[in-house]
Amino acid sequence: MKIFDEYTLGDMTLKNRMVMAPMTRSRAIDNIPNDLMVAYYEQRANAGLIITEGVAPSPNGLGYPRIPGLYSEPQVSGWKKITDAVHAKGGKVFAQLMHTGRVSHPGNMEQGTTILAPSAIALSGEMYTDAEGPQPYPVPKAMSLDEIKLTQQEYVQASNNAVRAGFDGVELHGANGYLIDQFINT
C-alpha cells in the first residue's frame, strides 16, 4: 500500500489515499461560499478526498463569523462552483455539516435565529464577533423535542442540498463540543 495509490471508498475511487482534513476558513461573506473559497479548494484538489470546513445546516447552526452554510439557494450555488472546480481536477469532496449549538454568539448569526443547545448552560470563555470583538458566550435556549426534530430535518435538508451542490458525500461533525457532541457529553 502506497499513499499515491488509488483507493476505493464505498462506490468511489479516490485518486490517492490522502485526505485533506477540515479547517475553518471564515471566508464566506454573508455565509455564502465565494470565489476565494473556490480557489482554496481547487488548489487542494490533488488530495484523494477533501473534507470541507464546518458548514452550517441552518441559520441556527451558525456560530463563528463568516462560516458557510448549506441551507439557502445562494449557498448551494456557491458550493456548486467549488465542487465543480474540485471535480474538474479529479478530486472528491465531502461537506462537513457542523451545527455549533451553544458554541455561538448572536453577533455571528442571522436575524431571527436562536442559539440552541441540549441545556441552558453557557459555555465558558468568549466567542469572536466581527462587530464587537471577543464576547462572552450567552446562555443558549434548551431545545424542546420539537426543536430537536426540526434540527434533525435541517440536517436532512442540508444533506439534500449537498447532493444538489455536487458533493460526493456528507460528514456529520460530532466532536469538539458542537451540537451533536453536546448531546453526547455531560
Side-chain angles (χ1 to χ4, degrees):
M1 168 172 67
K2 299 194 190 285
I3 195 164
F4 294 109
D5 290 349
E6 285 187 350
Y7 180 76
T8 302
L9 177 66
D11 60 358
M12 269 186 292
T13 300
L14 307 181
K15 63 183 175 181
N16 58 56
R17 295 166 183 264
M18 290 185 284
V19 177
M20 187 183 106
M23 184 166 64
T24 301
R25 306 290 300 149
S26 294
R27 303 285 171 89
I29 306 304
D30 296 323
N31 310 108
I32 299 170
N34 54 47
D35 290 341
L36 183 60
M37 294 170 63
V38 172
Y40 173 80
Y41 286 105
E42 182 178 38
Q43 290 168 352
R44 288 149 180 84
N46 285 330
L49 175 63
I50 297 171
I51 302 173
T52 70
E53 62 205 277
V55 178
S58 71
N60 289 337
L62 297 169
Y64 299 98
R66 295 168 268 103
I67 64 170
L70 249 173
Y71 53 85
S72 73
E73 285 307 311
Q75 292 165 343
V76 171
S77 296
W79 281 115
K80 180 72 172 134
K81 292 177 187 176
I82 292 168
T83 61
D84 286 349
V86 169
H87 292 151
K89 294 219 170 173
K92 303 287 186 191
V93 58
F94 282 21
Q96 182 192 61
L97 297 182
M98 176 187 78
H99 190 300
T100 57
R102 72 181 188 154
V103 184
S104 190
H105 192 277
N108 297 330
M109 299 172 73
E110 297 175 8
Q111 293 294 324
T113 56
T114 304
I115 298 173
L116 300 170
S119 303
I121 301 171
L123 184 62
S124 63
E126 297 179 321
M127 165 65 75
Y128 177 81
T129 67
D130 284 337
E132 299 176 318
Q135 294 294 307
Y137 287 102
V139 175
K141 179 185 181 299
M143 297 173 81
S144 67
L145 186 56
D146 286 341
E147 288 166 328
I148 292 169
K149 290 177 182 176
L150 176 61
T151 300
Q152 290 171 335
Q153 287 307 308
E154 291 169 344
Y155 271 96
V156 170
Q157 184 59 55
S159 297
N160 288 331
N161 289 346
V163 170
R164 289 191 308 113
F167 281 100
D168 299 293
V170 171
E171 176 187 89
L172 301 182
H173 194 328
N176 302 91
Y178 299 124
L179 186 63
I180 294 172
D181 193 38
Q182 291 167 27
F183 274 97
I184 296 170
N185 287 295
T186 57

